[in-house]
């Protein structure tokens, strides 16, 4: 029997959501294709998984580069005797920082859009091209509360995340009837990972989202019966004011 496999796009440091997803899937018996822009980081995530008895490979990928995304999927879906074609794909790439609207440059706005939205389109399109003909699979997009409301200083982030949300909805309506489960998560709050802790070392971690807990929610979506699929799930710490 072939080992199931998954593609996680947007993996960075080991203490991040992407890496947590990779570790969880490896624990569930999956071969994990780890994709991210920084070779050293994804290599480390793969090495940790393989050293603990799991199965993973790292492929340096810029999610905003169409050719790179196409190559990633062609590699992951290439026929292998011992590894099945992926049935679980997550787009987790992102960028976020406040920029005053009057100071926001066209280049910065485009950068946010390319990483948070355009990259999601490329990954979603390739996922649909490969999974829809098979009539199965799960695609999850990591979103944010910014997709629902634009806050002062975050126009560039909100516009990109709102676009990603619409991609997920359009895909769900088009491909759900074909057996492809497409979901979008609204991450409402700070994620307790290396990125946030490095910027705010004194932050109250009890008020942050635990990366392993988020990963478990993604796994739950993947395992849902088709009679009761989630299209959108919002996750927030119990202390978050909403």
């Amino acid at each position: 029997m072939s080992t199931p496999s998954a593609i996680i796009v947007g993996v960075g440091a080991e203490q991040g959501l992407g890496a947590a997803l990779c570790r969880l899937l490896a624990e569930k018996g999956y071969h994990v294709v780890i994709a991210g822009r920084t070779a050293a980081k994804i290599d480390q995530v793969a090495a940790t998984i393989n050293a603990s008895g799991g199965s993973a490979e790292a492929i340096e990928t810029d999610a905003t580069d169409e050719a790179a995304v196409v190559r990633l999927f062609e590699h992951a879906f290439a026929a292998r005797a011992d590894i099945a074609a992926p049935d679980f794909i997550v787009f987790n790439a992102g960028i976020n920082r406040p920029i005053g609207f009057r100071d926001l440059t066209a280049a910065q706005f485009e950068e946010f859009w390319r990483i948070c939205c355009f990259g999601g389109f490329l990954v979603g399109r390739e996922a649909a091209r490969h999974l829809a003909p098979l009539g199965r699979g799960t695609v999850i997009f990591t979103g944010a509360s910014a997709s629902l409301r634009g806050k002062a200083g975050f126009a560039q982030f909100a516009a990109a995340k709102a676009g990603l949300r619409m991609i997920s909805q359009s895909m769900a309506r088009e491909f759900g009837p074909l057996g492809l489960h497409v979901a979008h998560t609204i991450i409402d709050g700070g994620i307790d990972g290396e990125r946030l802790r490095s910027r705010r070392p004194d932050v109250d971690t009890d008020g942050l989202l635990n990366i392993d807990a988020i990963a478990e929610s993604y796994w739950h979506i993947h395992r849902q019966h088709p009679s009761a699929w989630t299209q959108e799930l919002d996750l927030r710490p119990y202390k978050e004011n909403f």
Side-chain angles (χ1 to χ4, degrees), residues 95-113 151-158:
I95 179 176
N96 188 17
R97 66 180 183 276
I99 305 174
F101 195 76
R102 288 175 293 182
D103 299 321
L104 181 62
T105 67
Q108 288 172 324
F109 186 90
E110 183 175 356
E111 178 189 22
F112 274 77
W113 172 79
K151 295 175 65 176
F154 291 90
Q156 65 287 345
F157 184 60

Side-chain angles (χ1 to χ4, degrees), residues 114-134:
R114 289 187 65 84
I115 294 174
C116 296
C117 186
F118 181 63
F121 153 70
L122 292 176
V123 170
R125 186 192 67 186
E126 293 308 304
R129 285 177 170 176
H130 287 81
L131 289 175
L134 302 178

Side-chain angles (χ1 to χ4, degrees), residues 24 43 65 76 106 111 119 220:
L24 176 63
D43 286 344
D65 182 335
E111 178 189 22
H220 172 71

